[in-house]
Amino acid sequence: MLHLRLMVPADRTEDVVELLETTVGTAHLAVLSGAAREPRGDVVLCDVAREAADGLLARLRAMDLDRTGSIAIEHIDLSLSLRAQRAADEAPGEGVDAVLWESLSDATHEESTLSVTYLAFLTLATMIAACGVVLDNAILIVGAMAVGPEFGPLAGFCTALVRRAPRLAWRSLTALLVGFAVATAVTVGFSLFMDAVGLFHVEALEAARPNTNFIYRPDWFSFVVAVLAGIAGVLSLTSAKSGALVGVAISVTTVPAAANAAVALAYREYAQSWHSLEQLLLNLAGIVLAGTLTLATQKRLWSRHGAGPAPR
């Protein structure tokens, strides 16, 4: 269940309450007359089943409530209520399958912002992966994958394509391109520094590296894994399964490929650097393709439920 807190202009309260009362999947409606001060109006509280929330939010926004008032949503971890159970049963579909498009757009918008924190995490992840490359240490590679924040803008780009949101698409693409460019450049400098102090050696890069040589050897398996990870990643976002998202982060070699390209570039191993870049692009393409198709399929399937206001 989700909890809605609405700030409603007094002259629109009756319409909003009627909408909530006639929407399948709602429960625990409360109206606090005159409680809102900024903006002035009434406060309307309501619980709604996750599977009914997207249609309800669309209608609230159609009433311009996001401009004239306020719409806030909170997740309810536990609700011991027969009415809440009845509302969830009456709502079409299953809550875990529902996609809250407004929530998804907001989350991916935040995750795809080119910020100092985003650049720091991506750069640190790439430098950790660089150490894993030189040491042929799979544990460091996995750790770098978990630290990398690149799935945020990838998911944002997929969402933008499905929702036809050019601003989000541009923001996400900028975060990806600038982020990887900065991370790679800094890692080149890091590699040169580590070589100068005797911790990195070109011989390690040229060795067989049985644990990490897959990073610069792109093949169809790389693309297949990226596609599967893209599907799992989008499903984890739309169903709020954060544990699955961690698994996605450590299954695709985006950050390690950028790290290997940086280290190889520092040692002028241009062929290995280029193959690493191919691996990076192949994985990014697979994730975007799979993520976009998954979201489009979810949108098409969920639209058949016809969630929204209906007599009860």
Coordinates of all heavy atoms in Angstrom, one line a residue, residues 132 145 159 229 268:
G132 N 42.1 -3.9 -9.7 CA 41.7 -5.3 -10.0 C 42.3 -5.8 -11.3 O 42.7 -7.0 -11.4
M145 N 32.2 -3.0 -9.6 CA 30.9 -3.0 -10.2 C 29.8 -2.6 -9.2 O 28.9 -1.9 -9.6 CB 30.6 -4.5 -10.7 CG 31.4 -4.9 -11.8 SD 31.1 -6.7 -12.2 CE 32.1 -7.0 -13.7
T159 N 13.8 5.0 -19.6 CA 12.6 5.6 -19.2 C 12.2 6.7 -20.1 O 11.1 6.9 -20.5 CB 12.6 6.1 -17.7 OG1 13.0 5.0 -16.9 CG2 11.3 6.7 -17.3
A229 N 20.8 -8.6 -17.8 CA 21.0 -7.6 -16.7 C 20.1 -6.4 -16.8 O 19.6 -5.9 -15.9 CB 22.5 -7.2 -16.5
R268 N 50.0 2.8 -23.3 CA 50.0 2.9 -24.8 C 49.7 1.6 -25.4 O 50.2 1.3 -26.5 CB 51.3 3.5 -25.3 CG 51.5 4.9 -24.8 CD 52.8 5.5 -25.4 NE 53.0 6.9 -24.9 CZ 54.1 7.6 -25.2 NH1 55.0 7.1 -26.0 NH2 54.2 8.8 -24.7

